[in-house]
């Protein structure tokens, strides 16, 4: 068309105009997403914004974990240890891989730490497409823990026979 024919001798200018238009649309989209998201409001997340529903799930999850003295996630969610007051099952345990890939020594240490804790909580998720929990694949907890709450995609387990927030004497008490 004649409206853009004047750009034909200036391919660099035409490319710049197309790029500028694309970037402008992307900035509008990013700003719209930023406006829809909300601050996460957990320790160390001052600059993080997430979808409102995800933020609510994460805050509920941290509130539950704050009731525990020891927490374990099956899927490398180490931020939960920063956001909550719960400890890991043994000192220095911050996995960079799924719990299913923990070494036999790590698994024994995890089992021991969970069994010695007064108020342990395990956080796991469903395996996509199977309906099974990631924890089911481990098989080493047996009937020691049972599901007591689901928060969004997360499933929380507590020691069988304990109500959430119930305080047993800690092994060091």
């Amino acid at each position: 068309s004649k409206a853009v024919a004047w750009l034909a001798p200036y391919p660099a200018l035409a490319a710049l105009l197309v790029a500028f238009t694309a970037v402008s649309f992307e900035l509008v989209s990013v700003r719209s997403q930023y406006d829809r998201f909300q601050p996460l409001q957990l320790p160390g997340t001052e600059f993080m914004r997430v979808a409102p529903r995800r933020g609510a799930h994460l805050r509920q999850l941290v509130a539950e974990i704050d009731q525990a003295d020891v927490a374990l996630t099956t899927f490398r969610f180490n931020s939960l240890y920063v956001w909550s007051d719960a400890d890991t099952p043994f000192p220095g345990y911050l996995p960079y891989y799924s719990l299913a890939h923990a070494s036999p020594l790590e698994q024994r240490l995890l089992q021991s730490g969970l069994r010695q804790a007064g108020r342990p909580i395990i956080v796991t998720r469903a395996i996509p497409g199977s309906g099974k929990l990631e924890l089911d694949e481990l098989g080493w907890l047996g009937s020691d823990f049972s599901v007591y709450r689901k928060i969004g995609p997360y499933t929380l387990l507590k020691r069988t026979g304990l109500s959430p927030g119930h305080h047993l004497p800690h092994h060091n008490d």
Side-chain angles (χ1 to χ4, degrees):
S1 79
K2 291 184 181 184
V4 292
W6 64 272
L7 283 175
Y10 308 103
L13 184 60
L16 184 62
L17 184 61
V18 168
F20 178 77
T21 302
V23 167
S24 296
F25 281 119
E26 187 62 28
L27 286 175
V28 167
S29 172
V30 167
R31 180 60 193 202
S32 173
Q33 180 175 333
Y34 180 84
D35 289 341
R36 283 192 318 270
F37 284 15
Q38 65 182 23
L40 186 50
Q41 300 172 333
L42 291 168
T45 64
E46 290 77 17
F47 301 106
M48 292 178 65
R49 294 176 73 89
V50 295
R53 187 172 183 189
R54 178 161 171 77
H57 289 158
L58 292 173
R59 287 187 293 277
Q60 289 173 9
L61 185 58
V62 168
E64 285 293 324
I65 292 172
D66 277 342
Q67 311 252 341
D69 56 348
V70 169
L72 174 67
T73 69
T74 61
F75 53 94
R76 302 178 321 162
F77 201 168
N78 294 332
S79 297
L80 290 177
Y81 300 117
V82 174
W83 298 339
S84 74
D85 292 327
D87 290 326
T88 60
F90 65 89
Y93 179 71
L94 288 177
Y96 294 101
Y97 41 80
S98 169
L99 186 57
H101 301 293
S103 72
L105 174 61
E106 286 175 316
Q107 291 200 24
R108 283 193 305 277
L109 290 169
L110 292 168
Q111 289 171 333
S112 176
L114 288 170
R115 288 191 176 113
Q116 291 178 23
R119 302 174 317 279
I121 287 181
I122 298 174
V123 181
T124 191
R125 300 178 299 189
I127 298 170
S130 77
K132 288 183 169 185
L133 297 176
E134 289 178 344
L135 191 64
D136 295 338
E137 298 294 309
L138 295 175
W140 50 253
L141 288 172
S143 60
D144 289 352
F145 287 81
S146 58
V147 172
Y148 79 91
R149 184 157 185 210
K150 292 186 180 191
I151 300 174
Y154 310 107
T155 300
L156 284 76
L157 294 94
K158 63 173 177 64
R159 186 177 289 130
T160 303
L162 291 183
S163 59
H166 177 77
H167 297 271
L168 287 180
H170 191 275
H171 69 283
N172 290 330
D173 290 347

